[in-house]
Amino acid sequence: MRTLTLLSLALLSGCSAMSSKHTFESDKQTPISPLQSYYDYSLATPSGNGVDLSQLANKLKDYDVVLVGEWHTHPAVHLFQAQLFQQLATSGEPLALSMEQFSRPEQPIIDQYLAGEVGEQILIKQGKAWPNYESDYRSLVELAKANNSDIIAANAPKDLVRCIGREGIEYLDRVTPEQRQMVASQIDLSDTPYRQKFMASMHHGSPEQTSKQYAAQVTWDETMAESIVEYITEHPTSQVIHVAGKFHTEGGLGTAQSILKRNPQLSIAIVTPVSEFTSEGSDYQLKVLTPPARYVKKENRMQAYHSLSKRNHTLTCEVED
């Protein structure tokens, strides 16, 4: 197991302060080029010093887990993820890819794909790949396959999570034992900085419904964290690079906290996409052009919210006897 620690145990009490084995200020700073397109990115340390890809990979190579946050569908972020994986793979050390984009029930079909037993269309269909798989995640999966790396289907099943978001965490008391194994054994809903951040980000619905949605959010984080920790327990010499939405990973909250609750000895590094570099914070920084606003007019935002709510209410959450 890798021995260097980035995230301190203070995370468990809600503090996101981080310490690093690197002295960032003494590093030779790489000039930062201006971004001109959505395929461009620049990198910096938590202190804001510019680094190139090879320098960043060298800093990350000794951590047990590297959490790479993303703006979903951003081409520069996905390009960076693939290039970082390729860089880390050159060390020759065991490297696994953990993905939010696949859920635990799909692990067998992913393993079959990596073994060459089924083709990509079977992976996409039976693996319930995200709609943007071919444009955004194919390169990562193919790099892992070429490197003989395992891929961890880390997430909880989407339908189970949606039912938790609609009915609350108590929904798990009604599911079958087989379904219950598809989500983390422990799900912490206590008041933490992550919960406060989530609640502050929500602007619709009643407090009761928002609490249920938070339960769904934490189910994602806890399940992904448990999947990663269980893999490292079985493969203690392997590094895991995990890709997920930036809300799950940034600032040492969410998935990072959940990992350290399960194994405080693991060292974790976090890379977070940003629109501007700062000299504060604990994450390595991936600067990309900010995604366009999804909606500008309030009525369009509300229409999208109500459409999502209607879809969730039509979801069948009945459990067979």
Side-chain angles (χ1 to χ4, degrees), residues 291-309:
R294 298 186 66 188
Y295 303 101
V296 175
K297 297 180 179 179
K298 181 179 179 179
E299 58 266 29
N300 292 335
R301 292 196 300 270
M302 292 302 298
Q303 182 179 6
Y305 171 75
H306 289 308
S307 296
L308 178 62
S309 298

Side-chain angles (χ1 to χ4, degrees), residues 226-253:
E226 184 181 83
S227 298
I228 293 169
V229 171
E230 287 181 349
Y231 181 86
I232 292 177
T233 300
E234 296 177 5
H235 306 82
T237 63
S238 182
Q239 182 180 47
V240 173
I241 179 170
H242 175 72
V243 295
K246 69 190 290 286
F247 197 97
H248 290 289
T249 61
E250 61 186 343
L253 303 177

Side-chain angles (χ1 to χ4, degrees), residues 38 71-74 77 274-275 288-294:
Y38 274 90
W71 274 314
H72 300 314
T73 73
H74 197 299
V77 174
V274 298
S275 55
V288 296
L289 293 180
T290 306
R294 298 186 66 188

Side-chain angles (χ1 to χ4, degrees), residues 207-240:
E208 178 185 4
Q209 188 57 49
T210 302
S211 293
K212 292 177 180 178
Q213 291 169 349
Y214 177 69
Q217 175 81 8
V218 172
T219 299
W220 275 325
D221 289 298
E222 297 277 31
T223 303
M224 290 189 290
E226 184 181 83
S227 298
I228 293 169
V229 171
E230 287 181 349
Y231 181 86
I232 292 177
T233 300
E234 296 177 5
H235 306 82
T237 63
S238 182
Q239 182 180 47
V240 173

